[in-house]
Amino acid sequence: MRVLPTERLMSEGNESSPLPERRSELPPVIRRTEVVAIALVILTIICVTAVLYVAKAFFLPVVMAFVVGTMLSPAANFLERYRIPRAIAAVLIVTAVATGVAFIVGLISAPLLDWSNRLPELATRLKDKLHVFDRPLALWHEMQTAIGGGSPESTASLQIPKFDWVQPTIEFLTPTFTEFLLFFATLVLFIASWRDLRRALIMIFADHEARLRTLRILNEMELHLGNYLLTVTLINTGVGIATGIACALTGMPNPAGLGALAATLNFIPIIGPIAMFAVLTVVGIIAFPTLSGGLMAPLAFAGITFMEGHFITPTIIGRRLALNALAVFIALAFWTWLWGPMGAFLASPLLIVGLIMKEHLLPDDSPQLPSD
């Protein structure tokens, strides 16, 4: 059969490159259903955040009890192996935790109450010690005046703020008695009934695969949160002991209380060490006659936290569950804004829970972005 030149060109063109698709067959970049779905997700997040913020007095102790109870469940399982009933094990564990917390609060509160009664005197001493910064402040004031940002009548000396912030700060840091009671009651009941709750959560789903996935999620949450609590507690205890020894060697007042405060604040990532450094700086400047002597303990603490944050903690925790630094910072900022210091403590455990759920609900074989 003879092939015409026109047909041969058409066949060669079809083999070399496909015909372009018509514009009408191309899908839209963003479908209307996707926009509606994204909007619904955003509205749901806003509504849930608003409810958590308004009902903080209820949700904070309950969520705190659930997270801490999941962390302490391995200890209850350990006691059960020695034929101790789970309800009694829950009471023993919560009593031991409450005793440890009360001991740390006792170490911190004694010097804190003493210093709070001497706030005007200590503020005067601190202001006298900080006259060394008057010259840099004067230069800064002159520069502001030259560029039109300050008034000639304003003073250039360092001003100590008033003490109106003390009572609001204490109210912000300390939850109410009702929240404490709700937390401990929920914690005891949660640990005692954790096995029944696990079984109920698993049996909600009718599909066998969904039940297995739920079981894996709960097992990993219990394992990772328990390991996180144990590891972080040991690391922070070491930081507290090292800080107490450094304070004792440098002659700081009440080194045991400062060490306990360092261990407690170190449970809050980023913010805790910065706050402890500020506390040590203020205490050192007040307690020592010279500025160099007052900065010895803060600098030693900075070295301790540098070693802990860059070498010890990443080596131990990073091998089990890697946490992105940006994700930790954003979670810390969000939960601190939402629930205060207790939210800051919950930021990392809740982030771990979110990562575990993401790994199981969005596995690696799901559609991924193309590589660069």
Side-chain angles (χ1 to χ4, degrees), residues 28-52:
V29 178
I30 301 178
R31 298 182 178 88
R32 184 179 301 176
T33 55
E34 294 177 351
V35 175
V36 173
I38 294 173
L40 288 176
V41 170
I42 294 175
L43 290 176
T44 302
I45 294 174
I46 293 174
C47 291
V48 170
T49 304
V51 170
L52 293 177

Side-chain angles (χ1 to χ4, degrees), residues 91-106:
V91 174
L92 292 176
I93 292 171
V94 174
T95 303
V97 171
T99 303
V101 172
F103 176 73
I104 294 176
V105 170

Side-chain angles (χ1 to χ4, degrees), residues 243-282:
T243 303
I245 294 174
C247 291
L249 293 177
T250 54
M252 292 281 283
N254 192 29
L258 292 174
L261 182 61
T264 304
L265 291 179
N266 211 51
F267 278 97
I268 303 176
I270 303 173
I271 298 178
I274 294 176
M276 188 62 205
F277 181 83
V279 169
L280 289 175
T281 302
V282 173

Side-chain angles (χ1 to χ4, degrees), residues 66-77 93 190 194 217-235 267 316-317 320-321 345 348-350 352-353 356:
F66 283 7
V67 173
V68 176
T70 306
M71 292 177 173
L72 297 176
S73 291
N77 298 336
I93 292 171
F190 180 85
W194 173 234
I217 291 175
L218 294 176
N219 287 339
E220 286 205 21
M221 284 183 183
E222 185 176 335
L223 175 64
H224 283 292
L225 290 180
N227 290 337
Y228 173 83
L229 178 63
L230 178 62
T231 306
V232 170
T233 301
L234 293 176
I235 291 174
F267 278 97
I316 299 175
I317 296 182
R320 295 196 179 117
L321 191 63
F345 170 77
S348 294
L350 291 177
I352 292 174
V353 171
I356 292 173

Side-chain angles (χ1 to χ4, degrees), residues 26-256:
L26 295 176
V29 178
I30 301 178
R31 298 182 178 88
R32 184 179 301 176
T33 55
E34 294 177 351
V35 175
V36 173
I38 294 173
L40 288 176
V41 170
I42 294 175
L43 290 176
T44 302
I45 294 174
I46 293 174
C47 291
V48 170
T49 304
V51 170
L52 293 177
Y53 184 81
V54 173
K56 170 190 171 182
F58 172 77
F59 283 105
L60 174 57
V62 171
V63 174
M64 187 83 172
F66 283 7
V67 173
V68 176
T70 306
M71 292 177 173
L72 297 176
S73 291
N77 298 336
F78 175 77
L79 293 178
E80 270 192 313
R81 297 193 191 112
Y82 292 92
R83 298 183 179 180
I84 298 177
R86 194 170 184 89
I88 298 177
V91 174
L92 292 176
I93 292 171
V94 174
T95 303
V97 171
T99 303
V101 172
F103 176 73
I104 294 176
V105 170
L107 288 177
I108 299 173
S109 61
L112 187 62
L113 291 175
D114 180 40
W115 282 53
S116 63
N117 294 329
R118 301 164 51 200
L119 276 178
E121 174 194 352
L122 296 176
T124 303
R125 292 172 59 183
L126 180 62
K127 186 177 180 180
D128 294 338
K129 296 287 184 65
L130 294 179
H131 277 307
V132 67
F133 296 105
D134 285 347
R135 183 56 184 167
L137 288 174
L139 293 175
W140 174 254
H141 172 67
E142 292 176 3
M143 186 173 62
Q144 279 187 319
T145 305
I147 63 177
S151 59
E153 293 81 7
S154 62
T155 59
S157 60
L158 185 66
Q159 300 292 328
I160 300 298
K162 296 181 179 180
F163 301 109
D164 299 337
W165 51 270
V166 175
Q167 183 176 357
T169 302
I170 294 176
E171 293 176 355
F172 175 74
L173 293 176
T174 57
T176 62
F177 175 76
T178 306
E179 293 178 357
F180 265 120
L181 184 61
L182 179 59
F183 166 72
F184 281 110
T186 307
L187 181 61
V188 172
L189 295 175
F190 180 85
I191 297 176
S193 60
W194 173 234
R195 289 189 179 278
D196 297 332
L197 289 174
R198 280 167 51 95
R199 187 178 298 107
L201 289 173
I202 294 170
M203 298 306 294
I204 286 176
F205 302 96
D207 183 53
H208 180 70
E209 184 64 29
R211 290 180 179 179
L212 288 178
R213 184 183 297 112
T214 305
L215 180 61
R216 295 190 194 100
I217 291 175
L218 294 176
N219 287 339
E220 286 205 21
M221 284 183 183
E222 185 176 335
L223 175 64
H224 283 292
L225 290 180
N227 290 337
Y228 173 83
L229 178 63
L230 178 62
T231 306
V232 170
T233 301
L234 293 176
I235 291 174
N236 293 343
T237 302
V239 170
I241 294 173
T243 303
I245 294 174
C247 291
L249 293 177
T250 54
M252 292 281 283
N254 192 29

